[in-house]
Amino acid sequence: MGGTQSEREEKVSLELSEEILQSMEVGMAFKDYNGKISSMDFHRASSYLVTASDDESIRLYDVMNATCLKTINSKKYGVDLVCFTPHPTTVIYSSKNGWDESLRLLSLHDNKYLRYFKGHHDRVVSLSLCSRTECFISGSLDRTVLLWDQRADKCQGLLRVQGRPAISYDDQGLVFAIAFGGYIRMFDVRNYEKGPFDIFSVGGDMSEANVVKFSNDGRLMLLTTSDGHIHVLDSFRGTLLSTYNLAPVSCNSTLEASFSPEGMFVMSGSGDGSVHAWSVRSGKEVASWMSATSDTGPPVIKWAPGSLMFVTGSSELSFWIPDLSKLGAYAGRK
């Protein structure tokens, strides 16, 4: 994964194809979890990956060397969602103990809490950090979305919603999206108090919003819902481009999907534990893989930035890479 971020993404856009995607298989798996992985995140500018698990652990991996660098236990508070800050060994994570819904800024280097963010009164179900500033947003079952600055204990803003919110910044950090109740509401970061500047419909799907995400170039966005639907939209016009259908998820699970780095494919887990891939251009499913574990519920899934690799998390952490032996012509060109 050498070179600049833009160089790595250009490399992927030249190489990633349906053929390569269909060849992908698990190259390495970590099977030492004692609970299901609930969240994971890649650091944008390093080779680090962080995971959060129902066994109340936070684990830091060096992807380049395929090693687990550190395991930190959060027995008192539990851990549910986790995101990297710009610093590669500092994360923000949410609790999962039912009595303290604070978010925590944690240094993985020395296992010290740097700040607590108190404000939510029910479980945090969505968390997004701005890639350009120190700001982040959190959405909770208490039907609020709070805006934060990592340098301050108290929230900087509050938006009330009418349902379970799914939230995300775009890659430029200029807008953020809040999805609930069959619609995605778009906010200008600088003028969010004035309300959404646009509202997009997802075709009458009123089931609970799970995850909303933007593609890296900001042109596309996706929304997953508890009924097992993945909606892909034009993020400028709000046009619904495709809807993919999977097995529904339980109220305790989250259906997570992820754009490939150049935005040509969407990957997602399913309620039956399988993994699927679709072409954004054609709207058709191009690959699927059955679950290698006996887990029920969808695995969490993330593409590695600028890399021909994605990662799934269930009761195991699996790294998926192309099998070059299935790609004779591709290997020959190398």
Side-chain angles (χ1 to χ4, degrees):
M1 287 178 62
T4 66
Q5 181 78 10
S6 61
E7 287 170 343
R8 292 199 299 268
E9 289 179 357
E10 181 182 2
K11 182 172 181 285
V12 170
S13 69
L14 293 173
E15 294 183 354
L16 190 58
S17 66
E18 288 186 18
E19 182 188 12
I20 292 172
L21 195 57
Q22 290 161 358
S23 80
M24 296 185 83
E25 61 181 30
V26 176
M28 173 170 284
F30 290 85
K31 302 181 180 183
D32 56 339
Y33 284 83
N34 295 313
K36 190 170 183 180
I37 296 169
S38 56
S39 176
M40 55 191 181
D41 191 31
F42 282 99
H43 189 261
R44 293 172 59 89
S46 73
S47 64
Y48 287 168
L49 169 73
V50 66
T51 67
S53 169
D54 290 346
D55 63 11
E56 301 174 325
S57 70
I58 298 172
R59 307 190 192 198
L60 179 67
Y61 293 87
D62 182 339
V63 177
M64 286 280 286
N65 296 308
T67 55
C68 181
L69 300 178
K70 184 164 290 192
T71 298
I72 291 177
N73 292 310
S74 179
K75 299 294 184 184
K76 182 176 180 180
Y77 303 110
V79 57
D80 193 8
L81 304 177
V82 65
C83 290
F84 275 114
T85 70
H87 193 280
T89 58
T90 306
V91 298
I92 294 174
Y93 78 92
S94 66
S95 309
K96 199 176 186 178
N97 58 18
W99 54 270
D100 186 339
E101 307 303 339
S102 301
L103 297 159
R104 290 170 174 77
L105 181 64
L106 173 67
S107 168
L108 301 177
H109 173 69
D110 51 10
N111 191 18
K112 287 186 177 179
Y113 292 115
L114 306 178
R115 183 160 280 115
Y116 298 85
F117 305 99
K118 299 178 182 292
H120 285 301
H121 303 288
D122 205 339
R123 186 165 69 94
V124 173
V125 293
S126 196
L127 183 63
S128 180
L129 273 68
C130 180
S131 62
R132 309 285 175 170
T133 69
E134 300 288 319
C135 297
F136 68 98
I137 49 179
S138 57
S140 167
L141 294 179
D142 64 12
R143 297 193 168 194
T144 65
V145 172
L146 300 183
L147 292 82
W148 307 89
D149 187 311
Q150 294 178 37
R151 298 161 294 189
D153 297 336
K154 296 182 179 179
C155 73
Q156 308 297 297
L158 182 152
L159 295 168
R160 298 193 183 278
V161 297
Q162 301 301 314
R164 170 182 169 143
I167 58 175
S168 181
Y169 281 102
D170 76 326
D171 193 59
Q172 298 298 313
L174 299 176
V175 304
F176 62 86
I178 303 177
F180 64 90
Y183 294 89
I184 303 174
R185 292 157 174 82
M186 307 291 287
F187 292 82
D188 184 326
V189 167
R190 296 158 298 184
N191 296 300
Y192 65 86
E193 303 98 331
K194 296 180 179 179
F197 64 82
D198 217 338
I199 300 176
F200 302 151
S201 169
V202 292
D205 181 0
M206 300 299 290
S207 59
E208 279 194 334
N210 275 195
V211 169
V212 64
K213 289 183 182 178
F214 290 87
S215 59
N216 283 346
D217 63 10
R219 296 178 182 177
L220 300 171
M221 60 192 310
L222 64 78
L223 171 67
T224 71
T225 66
S226 58
D227 276 357
H229 304 308
I230 303 171
H231 305 288
V232 179
L233 301 91
D234 180 311
S235 62
F236 295 109
R237 297 181 180 88
T239 309
L240 184 61
L241 303 176
S242 298
T243 294
Y244 316 132
N245 300 307
L246 294 166
V249 299
S250 71
C251 61
N252 296 321
S253 298
T254 297
L255 181 64
E256 184 175 24
S258 181
F259 283 108
S260 57
E262 79 308 322
M264 288 178 60
F265 300 98
V266 170
M267 309 286 298
S268 177
S270 178
D272 62 6
S274 57
V275 175
H276 300 258
W278 297 265
S279 165
V280 171
R281 187 171 298 158
S282 70
K284 295 180 179 179
E285 184 172 322
V286 295
S288 64
W289 300 266
M290 296 306 295
S291 174
T293 70
S294 59
D295 296 339
T296 57
V300 292
I301 187 164
K302 287 281 193 306
W303 270 94
S307 174
L308 289 174
M309 179 180 69
F310 67 90
V311 178
T312 57
S314 52
S315 59
E316 300 177 0
L317 178 66
S318 301
F319 294 80
W320 298 73
I321 57 175
D323 179 358
L324 297 182
S325 68
K326 298 177 182 176
L327 300 167
Y330 177 82
R333 287 198 299 272
K334 296 299 177 186

